[in-house]
Every structure is written in C-alpha cells, then in structure tokens.
Amino acid sequence: MYELLNHMDIDLEDYDREVLNDMEKRSLKNNFRKSIKRKINFKKLGTIAAVAVLTLGFFSQTNFGKNVYAAAESKVSEISYSIGEALGTKRNIEPYANVVNQIVEHNGVEVKLTDVIIDKDELIFSTIANANTPVDWVNFDYDIFINGKKLTNYGATGSSRRIGNSETAFSHIYAVDTKGIDLEENIDVKIILHNLNYRIGESEKGIKGKWEFEFTANGSELMANSHTLPMNYSFTAGGQKYSLEEFRYNPVNQKIFGKVKGKSKDAYAIELRGHDNLGNEVTFFLTSVSGEDIVFKYENIHGDLSDEITSITLTPYAAKYPEQSGKMSNDYKQVGEEFTIFLMK
C-alpha cells in the first residue's frame, strides 16, 4: 500500500477549488468548537488502541508488516558499517560493491544485508545482525541461489566481529565459491539466512528463523581491475604435492590458485609466509581445497598489500592439525624453498 502511494502522482490543479461563503465559514467554526468540547470516551479509545495492537501483530506476520517494521522501527538501519570495514581493509572498495541495504526482521532478530561484491568466481556479502539481547557471538546457516539455481558443494569462508561497543550488533562477512558460474553479467541472487546460533558465556543456543534477501548484482567492474600472473612452483607437505599455478590480484582479493595431488593420512594447515620488496610482512593462508583445486588467500593481518610493491617473496610452511579436537600447536615447519612473484606494473 505504501509503495503504491509513493508511485502515485496527484496534481491538485486537476480538482475544482471550493470557496466557502461567510455563513458557511461561521457554521464550520461552530461545529468544530462543539466537537472538541465533547467528552472523550476512554473506553472506546482503549478499544481502538487494542485493535491497533492486534493489527500490528497481524502485519508483523506478513511481508508487508516486516517491511513496515524494518522501515519504521529498525535499529540496524541506523548502523553504518561498510563491506570494507567488515573485510578489515583500508582500501576504498566501495566502487566494486553492489549496495543492497535490505532489512528483514524475524523472531525479534533484525538482519541487514549491506553490500555484495562479485570477484569472478567468488560471491562476497556482508550483513549486520542485531540480536536484541547481549550475546558474545552470533552466526547463521545460509543457502544461496543464483539465477534461480541453488549452490551446492561449494567452499566458503566467513568471519564475525562485534560492531563498536555494542553487545547486540555484529557484522558478518561471507565469501562463497561460485566456480563455474559466469558472474560478469547481471545475475539474480537470493540469499536465505536461517538457524541463528549465538553464545552467551559457555552456553550456545539457537533461534529458528528465515531472513531472505533478493537482488541483482554484477562483477564486471572489479574484473576490469584484476590481474592474473602464471606461476610454476611446487612443494611437498604430508606426502602430498602442492603446485601453484596462478596469482590473481585486484583491490578486493589477492589469491594463489593451484592443485594438490596424492593422499595423506593427516591434514595440514599450509601458509605461504614472506615479505614484499618494501620489507612488509606478507602471509597467504590455504583457505579452500575442493578435490584437487586449492586456493591460498592473502589475509590482511599485517595490513593491506601496498599498491607500491613490485614483488612478493614467499616460503611454504605446514603444521599438522590435531588428530582430536583441540587447539592448533602452531608448530609450523618449512616445507619448500623460497620463491618470488613479480607483479605487473
């Protein structure tokens, strides 16, 4: 209804102007004075208020009610937190972001889908969630549909951080592998978040709900600012051979793609550690293994890669994951020789 009114054009000049004579004006004033002197029926007013509450309750169970709630009462709408902040980068990546800013409320939990970035074979999206109660941590399960088709068997990474000093508001960033789907043209995307999990102290709980978002996005602008360099380097860890074949970088992501072959009875965390030609520390982490395909991604724990660098020198290190659940020992050992990537300038 609100959207219908927003799109209606009403020209008052299309209507005849009615002018009251002096007698009609006096009559109107007298009737108005009589009306404001009447005794207010508080019983009737209470009934009206009750009906209003019931109506609000009814609307809150509908899409229309959710949109009204989001527009009129939302707390997350007042929170400004960009996808760059969620990624922890100081670069201006806003030109590559598809701004969504949709808000959905369900079971007392508000979620705002803020921005989406498409990086060739990866869909990156950020959300703000307001749990409306103090919690230590929140997380969601999610399903993603592209052009009506649900993604299955995809790799994904994500992180969550508290927004400022808030005890209820959290930012999430998700990076989902979309290999095999052409994302350079306009695509229709649906993201459904569900099964909110949260932790208070040592206690973990969940809220069933559904937070659904639909939008159109495009990744052509970021692709225009991406560079790809061939690589030919390999090393061995845990009996498996890791071959690095391609380095792709742009303002949003810096990744090394390759293959892993062979079998190992143990699982290993692999890092590529080193420095750039300016002396800044650089680390790439193994973030994705899908069959033989592997991806190392630069994580800006040391800050963003400088735009002024011309080369990166790295050395592979590996640490075995614990056989039982527990904390990593961080006992990394060098598993290959040093190598250098020369960037295009």
Side-chain angles (χ1 to χ4, degrees), residues 308-327:
E308 306 301 319
I309 65 174
T310 57
S311 66
I312 301 172
T313 299
L314 301 169
T315 303
Y317 290 83
K320 188 170 69 172
Y321 282 111
E323 295 181 2
Q324 299 178 346
S325 60
K327 191 175 181 179

Side-chain angles (χ1 to χ4, degrees), residues 47-163:
T47 303
I48 295 173
V51 172
V53 170
L54 290 174
T55 304
L56 179 60
F58 169 76
F59 278 150
S60 68
Q61 303 303 314
T62 66
N63 289 333
F64 173 76
K66 291 174 185 175
N67 292 336
V68 171
Y69 176 92
E73 301 182 31
S74 171
K75 293 181 181 178
V76 296
S77 64
E78 302 172 0
I79 301 175
S80 176
Y81 202 77
S82 70
I83 194 169
E85 291 176 289
L87 285 169
T89 179
K90 293 184 179 180
R91 282 197 180 95
N92 178 22
I93 62 174
E94 303 307 315
Y96 311 106
N98 299 262
V99 179
V100 181
N101 279 343
Q102 292 181 13
I103 300 172
V104 177
E105 182 272 341
H106 198 183
N107 286 341
V109 177
E110 297 174 276
V111 179
K112 176 164 71 171
L113 178 65
T114 59
D115 308 271
V116 175
I117 291 179
I118 295 174
D119 184 12
K120 191 176 180 178
D121 51 11
E122 186 174 66
L123 177 72
I124 306 168
F125 64 95
S126 65
T127 64
I128 296 172
N130 180 31
N132 280 326
T133 187
V135 296
D136 298 322
W137 170 86
V138 296
N139 194 25
F140 294 90
D141 295 331
Y142 55 87
D143 292 316
I144 297 175
F145 298 79
I146 295 181
N147 293 334
K149 184 177 180 180
K150 182 179 178 180
L151 295 186
T152 57
N153 300 321
Y154 56 83
T157 58
S159 63
S160 172
R161 66 178 66 187
R162 191 185 301 274
I163 298 178

Side-chain angles (χ1 to χ4, degrees), residues 255-276:
K255 301 178 184 177
I256 296 174
F257 298 86
K259 302 284 186 182
V260 59
K261 294 185 177 181
K263 294 183 179 181
S264 175
K265 63 178 182 178
D266 300 311
Y268 285 82
I270 311 290
E271 296 182 5
L272 306 176
R273 302 177 183 173
H275 55 84
D276 60 33

